[in-house]
Amino acid sequence: MSLKAFHVVFVTVATLLAMGVGVWCLRIRESGYVPIGMVSIGVAVALVVYGVWFLRKMKGVSYL
Amino acid sequence: MASAHSIDDVIPYTVAPREDTGLNNVKLGIWLFLASEVMLFGALFAGYLLLRVGATDWPEGRTYLSVPWAFTNTLVLISSSVTMVMAWASLIRKDLGKYRLWMGLTVLGGFGFLIIKYIEYSSKFHHGYFPETNTFLAIYFTLTALHGLHVISGMAVNGYLLGPGTKMWQTEPQRFTNRVEAAGLFWHFVDLVWIFLFPILYLL
């Protein structure tokens, strides 16, 4: 597995974590956690956009 | 006389991939090493799980730990993985200047992570929280300290590849690119471990 493939796995897991942290923080409803939750969901969206951009940019590089 | 031959003539598959596996030595070596790392952290994660299910009372992580600091550290490590892969991509595009920039940012990310970890640890010690305080803190310090050592190791390798190791680019650019890829795989693994540590220690 090349760094390209591992990076795709990493970005996928990081996106899931960011979404999970976002939901966790918003469900707690304590002051201080709501902004973190919103930032985290924003990070999840940014990671999806970045992931698509990365795959397009590295099209010619092998997954092996 | 040796300089007339490529390194692959002396030790096969150092640069070029082996035909049947499609892997060169550095990639096979780093993945074997990462497999041993999975076993090391896997054993500790299993230890955490057994201690937790066997405990009559287990504290919520946020009663002892700072979620905002850990969240910031998570963002720092995710960013440093992005800069690491950009450093490798710069070498594929034969742009050593951009490589230096991205690799420098990766090393800085590692420093940032360690500074935040130092602040977190200092705060715990200031409040009288030590590994011997309770089982939760014992496993917290064990896992995060071991992870911190891996961050330091990754920074040492990345620092070498940013400094003296760059000389190889002039003579064997493909071999240097492969080395950076191997360092990138290790750095991603270390970051991936943190992505599992953060929720199980701080949130659950």
Side-chain angles (χ1 to χ4, degrees):
Chain A
M1 190 193 279
S2 70
L3 183 55
K4 175 191 172 181
F6 200 26
H7 190 64
V8 171
V9 172
F10 176 80
V11 170
T12 306
V13 177
T15 305
L16 292 174
L17 172 88
M19 280 199 287
V21 172
V23 171
W24 183 88
C25 287
L26 293 177
R27 279 186 66 184
I28 276 197
R29 292 176 180 275
E30 279 180 23
S31 62
Y33 284 97
V34 175
I36 295 175
M38 290 167 82
V39 170
S40 195
I41 287 171
V43 169
V45 174
L47 281 169
V48 171
V49 174
Y50 164 76
V52 172
W53 173 84
F54 176 77
L55 281 174
R56 282 186 187 152
K57 192 156 174 99
M58 302 290 279
K59 226 173 193 171
V61 179
S62 166
Y63 282 98
L64 253 183
Chain B
M1 186 172 165
S3 60
H5 302 280
S6 77
I7 186 76
D8 262 11
D9 296 333
V10 186
I11 306 169
Y13 315 117
T14 301
V15 178
R18 195 179 147 119
E19 297 76 15
D20 51 358
T21 62
L23 300 173
N24 55 36
N25 295 344
V26 69
K27 202 169 277 180
L28 182 65
I30 191 70
W31 277 110
L32 284 173
F33 174 65
L34 290 182
S36 74
E37 291 281 70
V38 167
M39 286 184 257
L40 172 66
F41 278 102
L44 284 166
F45 275 112
Y48 162 86
L49 204 66
L50 286 173
L51 287 169
R52 182 162 184 168
V53 296
T56 50
D57 185 35
W58 192 265
E60 277 190 54
R62 66 195 168 105
T63 55
Y64 287 106
L65 311 173
S66 165
V67 174
W69 275 127
F71 179 69
T72 309
N73 249 352
T74 307
L75 296 185
V76 168
L77 280 193
I78 290 173
S79 306
S80 78
S81 274
V82 171
T83 57
M84 183 81 215
V85 87
M86 288 300 137
W88 174 61
S90 302
L91 290 180
I92 293 172
R93 289 194 300 272
K94 318 269 183 227
D95 189 341
L96 189 66
K98 282 264 173 68
Y99 159 77
R100 285 202 168 111
L101 171 72
W102 290 119
M103 190 56 115
L105 287 172
T106 308
V107 175
L108 269 181
F111 270 117
F113 178 87
L114 290 177
I115 289 167
I116 291 173
K117 209 73 220 150
Y118 171 77
I119 294 168
E120 266 197 279
Y121 271 26
S122 302
S123 164
K124 301 292 153 286
F125 297 148
H126 180 74
H127 287 99
Y129 299 149
F130 296 96
E132 67 266 28
T133 305
N134 60 35
T135 311
F136 170 75
L137 286 170
I139 197 77
Y140 162 78
F141 280 111
T142 304
L143 281 166
T144 54
L146 184 69
H147 177 263
L149 284 175
H150 279 75
V151 172
I152 292 168
S153 309
M155 283 170 63
V157 173
N158 290 343
Y160 172 76
L161 291 171
L162 178 63
T166 317
K167 277 183 207 158
M168 185 183 268
W169 177 255
Q170 310 303 330
T171 52
E172 295 174 276
Q174 188 53 50
R175 196 174 170 205
F176 181 66
T177 306
N178 292 348
R179 280 188 173 186
V180 171
E181 185 181 11
L185 286 167
F186 177 74
W187 192 250
H188 272 64
F189 172 80
V190 171
D191 295 354
L192 200 58
V193 168
W194 178 257
I195 280 182
F196 284 99
L197 283 180
F198 173 46
I200 69 157
L201 291 175
Y202 292 79
L203 307 184
L204 299 176

